[in-house]
């Protein structure tokens, strides 16, 4: 990953976190909506369907768009579009694009659609939350909730006290923005985040997921990365914990998943990305490497599936 393009640092890790912690994401950013969702029914991610809905729109490449099917308390079915805007620049037509996504999804499914936006840019005054116009008595007035991540700079103590995994995600994002031009300070903030993770008592799997996010967005030059790893080992010795091997493997795993996703789209088209919901559940690094290599030689998606679906797995 290049340090020259900070925007690319936030793509895959945000998608991964949203997939793993969607309920916690809604609870952290949109608590009122969270309270209206029936969490006893598993949310369904409709990434492939979203691509089909908007593929002919000249809307540019989004970093982390998600369409999620959820059920509201009371039995009403609803489709929710969670749109994450994790980038360093504002967009003049952002509100129009949110409106376009919203009505295209409604037109396809004829269900209520909540379009929600997370803005990771640094412009304090850029807060688009509505699109509309009026002509000859006809009025369009589309409003949508927006979360501005830089607002959390003033809520650092609240973030540090939170037990929600998204608090760590926000702290890592803010640290990445703040230290873009100061890698030494980035190393210190990265180590501070890791220390907090070790001390908060998360489940091991959550620690590894969040370590992978921190590692991905807070990239360091090789010399500082070596220093960081040594300091982490020292920290682990003090805490009598050992995560570093799994920590490194989590970073490798995320990199392999990103490579598989790109390979699938290039060879088999956007429709093949539905496989990522299956592949992302795999934890074996060598198996993921085999899948990535298998994309080169597999003639069909079914053939590629045979690499990771043995008869034992299908029972």
């Amino acid at each position: 990953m290049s340090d020259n393009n900070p925007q690319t640092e936030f793509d895959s890790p945000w998608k991964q976190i949203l997939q793993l912690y969607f309920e916690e994401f809604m609870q952290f950013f949109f608590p009122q909506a969270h309270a209206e969702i029936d969490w006893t029914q598993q949310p369904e991610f409709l990434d492939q369907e979203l691509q089909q809905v908007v593929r002919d729109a000249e809307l540019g490449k989004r970093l982390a768009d998600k369409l999620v099917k959820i059920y509201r308390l009371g039995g009403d079915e609803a489709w929710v579009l969670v749109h994450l805007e994790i980038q360093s620049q504002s967009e003049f037509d952002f509100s129009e694009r949110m409106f376009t996504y919203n009505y295209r999804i409604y037109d396809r499914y004829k269900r209520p659609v909540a379009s929600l936006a997370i803005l990771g840019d640094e412009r304090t005054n850029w807060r688009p939350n509505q699109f509309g116009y009026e002509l000859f008595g006809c009025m369009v007035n589309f409003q949508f909730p927006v979360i501005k991540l830089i607002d959390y700079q003033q809520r650092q103590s609240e973030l540090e006290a939170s037990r929600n995994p998204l608090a760590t995600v926000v702290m890592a994002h803010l640290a990445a923005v703040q230290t873009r031009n100061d890698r030494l300070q980035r190393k210190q903030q990265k180590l501070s985040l890791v220390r907090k993770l070790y001390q908060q008592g998360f489940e091991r799997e959550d620690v590894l997921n969040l370590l992978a996010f921190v590692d991905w967005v807070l990239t360091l030059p090789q010399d500082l990365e070596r220093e960081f790893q040594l300091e982490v080992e020292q920290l682990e010795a003090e805490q009598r914990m050992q995560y570093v091997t799994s920590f490194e493997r989590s970073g490798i795993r995320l990199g392999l998943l990103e490579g598989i996703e790109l390979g699938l789209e290039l060879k088999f088209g956007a429709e093949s990305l539905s496989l990522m919901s299956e592949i992302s559940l795999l934890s074996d690094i060598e198996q993921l490497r085999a899948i990535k290599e298998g994309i080169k030689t597999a003639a069909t998606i079914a053939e590629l599936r045979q690499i990771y679906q043995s008869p034992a797995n299908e029972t």
Side-chain angles (χ1 to χ4, degrees):
M1 181 183 302
S2 170
D3 285 343
N4 297 326
N5 186 3
Q7 291 186 40
T8 63
E9 295 176 13
F10 305 122
D11 184 1
S12 291
W14 268 96
K15 287 182 177 179
Q16 183 85 350
I17 287 293
L18 183 60
Q19 195 91 16
L20 291 169
Y21 298 109
F22 179 66
E23 182 175 354
E24 292 86 349
F25 166 84
M26 292 298 292
Q27 186 176 40
F28 189 83
F29 290 118
F30 304 103
Q32 289 183 323
H34 175 272
E36 295 182 31
I37 296 172
D38 181 0
W39 294 104
T40 66
Q41 302 200 56
Q42 188 72 18
E44 182 182 352
F45 288 83
L46 305 173
D47 295 3
Q48 184 181 358
E49 289 83 348
L50 178 60
Q51 290 178 357
Q52 292 172 351
V53 168
V54 301
R55 67 168 38 167
D56 60 333
E58 294 181 6
L59 300 174
K61 177 176 168 54
R62 302 275 49 82
L63 289 183
D65 295 331
K66 290 288 181 184
L67 181 63
V68 188
K69 178 181 179 181
I70 57 95
Y71 291 85
R72 298 180 66 182
L73 291 171
D76 292 332
E77 186 178 31
W79 299 85
V80 176
L81 172 67
V82 178
H83 180 252
L84 302 182
E85 195 69 17
I86 313 302
Q87 60 177 23
S88 60
Q89 297 181 24
S90 57
E91 292 185 357
F92 74 94
D93 59 349
F94 178 82
S95 295
E96 181 181 3
R97 179 160 52 77
M98 290 291 285
F99 172 68
T100 303
Y101 272 61
N102 187 277
Y103 82 70
R104 282 174 180 262
I105 295 164
Y106 177 81
D107 185 51
R108 172 161 180 164
Y109 296 108
K110 298 297 190 289
R111 294 283 186 175
V113 182
S115 294
L116 314 173
I118 307 292
L119 303 179
D121 69 291
E122 299 171 63
R123 283 185 56 188
T124 306
N125 297 325
W126 187 67
R127 297 172 184 268
N129 64 359
Q130 67 87 30
F131 174 81
Y133 58 86
E134 183 179 4
L135 180 63
F136 304 149
C138 175
M139 180 182 294
V140 171
N141 182 20
F142 173 66
Q143 300 183 33
F144 55 95
V146 167
I147 298 295
K148 193 85 172 180
L149 293 182
I150 58 170
D151 289 347
Y152 286 91
Q153 289 176 341
Q154 313 304 320
R155 301 165 63 178
Q156 196 69 27
S157 59
E158 180 184 332
L159 290 174
E160 292 179 5
S162 175
R163 297 281 301 145
N164 191 309
L166 268 298
T168 299
V169 167
V170 172
M171 284 190 287
H173 175 86
L174 292 177
V177 170
Q178 292 163 1
T179 62
R180 185 171 291 149
N181 299 315
D182 186 346
R183 299 291 158 153
L184 190 59
Q185 180 62 24
R186 171 170 287 193
K187 189 199 77 169
Q188 294 306 117
Q189 291 205 31
K190 186 173 182 179
L191 189 64
S192 176
L193 280 169
V194 171
R195 182 179 289 110
K196 286 189 182 75
L197 267 180
Y198 282 15
Q199 294 171 349
Q200 278 185 306
F202 282 117
E203 293 292 327
R204 181 179 178 83
E205 185 179 354
D206 295 324
V207 172
L208 294 177
N209 289 334
L210 293 169
L211 282 174
F213 184 91
V214 169
D215 195 40
W216 196 291
V217 300
L218 292 171
T219 53
L220 293 169
Q222 284 188 0
D223 56 338
L224 288 179
E225 181 62 28
R226 281 193 295 270
E227 288 181 21
F228 167 74
Q229 291 293 348
L230 288 172
E231 289 171 6
V232 168
E233 289 176 24
Q234 188 175 9
L235 173 64
E236 289 187 329
E238 293 169 5
Q239 298 289 322
R240 295 187 177 180
M241 299 178 181
Q242 187 176 359
Y243 283 124
V244 69
T245 302
S246 298
F247 179 10
E248 291 170 344
R249 288 177 67 81
S250 293
I252 294 168
R253 180 175 173 275
L254 274 172
L256 285 169
L257 287 171
E258 185 182 51
I260 290 168
E261 184 174 11
L262 178 61
L264 281 173
E265 187 168 10
L266 289 175
K267 181 158 186 180
F268 297 111
E271 292 80 2
S272 67
L273 294 178
S274 59
L275 263 66
M276 291 305 298
S277 61
E278 302 170 7
I279 294 171
S280 64
L281 298 176
L282 302 174
S283 57
D284 188 284
I285 297 295
E286 295 310 314
Q287 196 174 29
L288 291 173
R289 281 201 177 104
I291 293 169
K292 187 179 177 184
E293 287 302 307
I295 292 173
K296 299 175 184 176
T297 55
T300 64
I301 291 175
E303 190 177 323
L304 185 65
R305 259 201 178 106
Q306 291 175 356
I307 294 173
Y308 63 92
Q309 284 190 342
S310 66
N313 291 334
E314 292 171 355
T315 56

